[in-house]
Amino acid sequence: MKSIAVSAEGPSMDDPVDPRFGRAAGFLLVDPDTLATEYIDNGASQARAQGAGIQAAETLARAGVQVVLTGFVGPKAFAALSGAGIQVVQNLDGLTVRQAVEKFKNNAVTPSSAPNSPGGRN
Amino acid sequence: MILSVASGKGGTGKTTVSAALAWAWKAPLDLMDLDVEAPNLHLFLDPEIEACEKAHLEIPTVDASRCTHCQMCSKLCQFKAISDMGRTLLIFPEMCHGCGGCLAVCPEKALKPGLRELGEVCWGQAGEQGFFMGRLRVGEAMSPPLMREVKARWKRSGQTQKRDLIIDAPPGTSCPAVNAVMDSDVICLVTEPTPFGLYDLKLAVEAFRPLGIPMGVVVNRYGVGDAAVFDFCSQAGLPVLAKIPFSRSLAQAYANGRVLTRAEPALVPLFRDLADQLQRMGRQAKEVPGDA
Ligand code: SF4
Ligand code: SF4
């Protein structure tokens, strides 16, 4: 099974999905089989004047993530994630991390082929 | 000496003041429009442009076959303009500041210099005065590198010791504005006696004060608004060098791109006096460097 990262407003499965990818509070790495989680703080990216999405993509690539579940991804972050071979699922804002992971496991989501945000502040 | 004419926001009459100062300046003078996103000083001065040259920034390009994904370049780049994703090296040319760091650090010589067009630098003559300007390429996000090229072109004229320079700085208080004014001997801040004018003036003073360059204020459209701008200036120890009265004919002249002093001969003494004061401030600052 794949290793997933969900942009999250907090460290638990019941925290909301953070709609912003690059400037998300953090990422919850979830093993979809065991639902074991690990939280990565995204403060370093949040604080960046520019390149937040690229920094976040680098962090996830280094953590061996294969799929990202999130709300909005800007063009640069999208290019970075694609470059890292990471699949992106957008528009999952409004759900909790648990709901987003369930949706993904039930194949009820479509991986995105293009960014859905103009970027700049992502 | 170098004088920068700046303002905390656009539309205060900064370019009008630059043009009128150019007209009133007694010493040999060059003019530089560094409002590269929207240059318009040439509309007032109607210079004869001798040449325009494209300016570029050196950015990295990658020879993917040589890259071992060691990540030295991506760890070095503060701007995330180059980023190693494990299997792919990505370059975001529009985010690159051209520092050359990645090119120098790559142990595999996988990076080669490439070019990003910044815009163009134009120069010529406005009567006796030399004229220099930059025009940013549409879509280019960074103006300081192009501004540096315009300044470099002026330095290459070889006349910088013999001639004064007036810089029409970009409006605002962010990086480009600070970049434009930072090597001046004196800064002339143009504002209006309104709450908005005061707000932007405060920001400008805050942004420029750390540079330690003497500053003076020109209040445009004097007669509208209130006295708060003057109170602020006296508290902040900023001399008010001139008050340009508000009049319909001036507004008209501005809209038509005419130099104020030509449209309104009554303003000639005002601008002569302003030019004298600024020259004096600039020469003093040059004599006592660091004592600003
Ligand atoms: S030249 Fe400097 S800013 Fe540009 S990618 Fe290389 S390290 Fe980053
Ligand atoms: S420093 Fe050179 S070899 Fe290392 S990742 Fe960058 S381009 Fe590749």
Side-chain angles (χ1 to χ4, degrees):
Chain A
M1 211 39 188
K2 290 174 168 175
S3 153
I4 6 187
V6 190
S7 60
E9 289 181 16
S12 100
M13 288 289 278
D14 297 307
D15 278 311
V17 170
D18 196 320
R20 307 157 302 172
F21 171 72
R23 289 185 195 277
F27 293 97
L28 212 56
L29 305 191
V30 184
D31 178 326
D33 295 328
T34 63
L35 293 189
T37 62
E38 186 192 333
Y39 184 69
I40 308 184
D41 188 84
N42 192 39
S45 302
Q46 269 189 325
R48 299 192 69 88
Q50 56 167 262
I54 300 169
Q55 170 76 63
E58 260 185 26
T59 307
L60 298 185
R62 275 178 211 153
V65 166
Q66 290 155 298
V67 183
V68 172
L69 311 181
T70 186
F72 307 102
V73 182
K76 291 191 193 97
F78 198 92
L81 288 165
S82 313
I86 298 176
Q87 228 180 49
V88 185
V89 180
Q90 298 170 133
N91 300 321
L92 294 177
D93 46 311
L95 303 180
T96 64
V97 173
R98 190 185 304 280
Q99 288 166 335
V101 172
E102 286 304 323
K103 227 175 150 172
F104 173 76
K105 280 173 70 176
N106 297 334
N107 289 321
V109 295
T110 339
S112 317
S113 55
N116 64 347
S117 159
R121 296 297 297 171
N122 284 285
Chain B
M1 64 161 281
I2 302 178
L3 160 70
S4 283
V5 182
S7 69
K9 70 168 173 86
T12 55
K14 174 179 59 65
T15 304
T16 334
V17 170
S18 304
L21 276 174
W23 183 89
W25 210 259
K26 285 187 194 129
L29 180 72
D30 289 331
L31 297 150
M32 185 182 289
D33 193 349
L34 285 186
D35 188 358
V36 297
E37 280 181 53
N40 63 350
L41 185 60
H42 60 289
L43 300 177
F44 290 87
L45 298 177
D46 201 19
E48 238 169 84
I49 298 295
E50 280 157 23
C52 289
E53 228 169 52
K54 294 247 186 282
H56 297 92
L57 189 72
E58 199 168 274
I59 60 165
T61 58
V62 65
D63 175 353
S65 67
R66 298 186 81 133
C67 176
T68 56
H69 304 289
C70 72
Q71 305 192 335
M72 282 177 74
C73 56
S74 57
K75 287 205 181 103
L76 178 92
C77 182
Q78 321 172 34
F79 307 105
K80 288 283 148 207
I82 189 161
S83 176
D84 186 70
M85 291 292 154
R87 278 166 290 174
T88 327
L89 185 86
L90 293 174
I91 296 172
F92 297 92
E94 69 280 18
M95 292 169 72
C96 172
H97 287 234
C99 73
C102 55
L103 291 149
V105 84
C106 175
E108 309 295 336
K109 304 219 176 341
L111 298 176
K112 301 260 173 307
L115 295 176
R116 176 174 101 222
E117 188 192 322
L118 297 167
E120 57 177 10
V121 179
C122 298
W123 62 94
Q125 285 292 127
E128 295 288 291
Q129 299 169 340
F131 180 85
F132 300 81
M133 71 181 275
R135 192 192 297 277
L136 203 65
R137 173 177 60 85
V138 174
E140 170 61 47
M142 281 172 216
S143 47
L146 178 63
M147 289 162 46
R148 279 193 283 277
E149 294 291 323
V150 181
K151 286 184 180 177
R153 167 57 59 182
W154 176 64
K155 290 199 179 113
R156 255 179 279 155
S157 72
Q159 302 283 313
T160 58
Q161 293 308 314
K162 288 179 232 148
R163 304 171 75 87
D164 294 333
L165 176 68
I166 293 181
I167 295 175
D168 189 9
T173 55
S174 58
C175 177
V178 174
N179 234 279
V181 308
M182 68 188 180
D183 32 26
S184 325
D185 302 298
V186 56
I187 299 172
C188 172
L189 294 167
V190 183
T191 189
E192 295 171 349
T194 62
F196 300 116
L198 175 60
Y199 179 79
D200 293 311
L201 176 64
K202 279 184 183 163
L203 292 181
V205 170
E206 236 169 74
F208 298 152
R209 192 152 255 174
L211 298 170
I213 300 169
M215 296 189 272
V217 174
V218 168
V219 176
N220 197 9
R221 302 197 182 101
Y222 176 60
V224 305
D226 53 40
V229 161
F230 298 98
D231 294 341
F232 169 74
C233 287
S234 72
Q235 275 160 27
L238 289 169
V240 175
L241 304 174
K243 299 171 199 164
I244 305 171
F246 177 76
S247 87
R248 196 160 296 275
S249 62
L250 285 184
Q252 201 88 51
Y254 180 68
N256 295 337
R258 293 182 61 195
V259 175
L260 287 188
T261 38
R262 261 183 241 152
E264 188 89 31
L267 287 180
V268 170
L270 183 149
F271 277 103
R272 288 245 191 257
D273 176 59
L274 176 61
D276 287 346
Q277 291 187 69
L278 288 165
Q279 278 180 38
R280 223 174 301 128
M281 284 173 77
R283 302 217 193 285
Q284 262 165 21
K286 256 188 124 60
E287 274 158 30
V288 203
D291 190 33

